[in-house]
Amino acid sequence: MKLLVKFNLVFLLLFLLGIGACGYISWELLQKNAREEVAENARLLMANAIAVRSYTNTQIKPLLKTQMVYTFLPQSVPAYSATEVLNELRKKYPDYGYKEAMLNPTNLRDRAVEWETDVIGQFRNGNSTEIFGVRDTPTGPALFFARPMKITDPACLECHDTLERAPKTMVDQYGPANGFGWKLNETVGAQLVSVPTAVPLARAQKAFVTFMGSLAGVLVAIGLILNLLLWWMFIRPVTRISALADRISLGELDAPDIQVRSRDELRTLAESLARMRKSMVQALKMLEG
C-alpha cells in the first residue's frame, strides 16, 4: 500500500471522528440554545400577561367601580384584560397562546380542557410554582409554561364565594351556574402560555447544517492541500531517491545524483545514497586493479 494511500486512510478516519465529535457537540449546543430561546419567549409572554393583570387591577378597575353598579364590565377583570391583550398579539403570531384556565370559571371560554386540567391538578397536588412542558398542536410541538392561580386576595371572593354575594350585574351577564364556591388559598386554575418550538428548532437545524457543511468543506480543503504538500515535499523526492537506488542496485553506477534543495532528512538520505554509490565505484575499481 502506497504511503499516500495510507496517509489518506488515516486522514479519513480522523476526518470522520472529528466531524462526528463536532456534530454531536454543536447539535446539542444549538438544540439547548433553541430550547432556552423558547423558554425565554414563554417567560416574556407570561410577564406581559402579569403586567396587564396588575395594570387592570390597580388602575382600570377603580375607574370602573361606579359603572359596575349598573352594568358589569368585563374589562375590569384582570383575567379578561390579559386574555384580550394577548389575543391581539395572536393576530400577528397565531402560534402563540395564552389562557387563564379555570376548573370552575365564570366566563366559560376560560374552562380548562383535558390537558390543562392535568396541569392544574399538578399544582393542586404539589408545591410547584411553575411547570414547563411540550405538547403537540396542529401546527407542531409547542412549549407551554404554566403558573398556578391561587386565591390569595379576599376581594376575589366577593364575586366567586357564593351566588348570593356575587354582584347581580355579573350574574346577569354570565349566569348563576359557574364561577362560585372558590375558597381562600385554593388553586382554582393556571396561567398558561404556549410558544411554538418549530421556528427556533428550524433555525438551530439550519445553523447546524451550515456549520457542518462549512466544517466539512474546510477539512476537505485541508486534506487536498496536505495531499499536495505531502506529494511535493515527500512522495516525489522519495520516489526519485527510490528509483535511483533501484538503478544503482542493478549496476547503473553512472546514474546521476539527485539534488535535494531542502535541508532535512530527505537531503541527508540523498547525500548518503550518493556517497554509497561513490564508495561502490571506488570498491569496484580497487577490485579490477
Side-chain angles (χ1 to χ4, degrees), residues 154-165:
C156 294
L157 298 181
E158 294 178 4
C159 297
H160 300 286
D161 184 5
T162 62
L163 178 61
E164 291 73 22
R165 289 186 61 191

Side-chain angles (χ1 to χ4, degrees), residues 235-279:
I235 302 299
R236 188 175 66 92
V238 167
T239 301
R240 292 172 59 197
I241 293 173
S242 176
L244 177 60
D246 286 340
R247 292 176 66 184
I248 293 174
S249 67
L250 294 174
E252 296 185 33
L253 299 179
D254 58 344
D257 294 333
I258 295 175
Q259 300 298 324
V260 178
R261 297 180 180 180
S262 61
R263 298 182 179 181
D264 52 21
E265 289 81 357
L266 291 176
R267 182 172 181 174
T268 302
L269 178 61
E271 292 174 348
S272 299
L273 184 61
R275 286 195 301 269
M276 183 186 70
R277 185 182 64 80
K278 291 178 182 179
S279 298

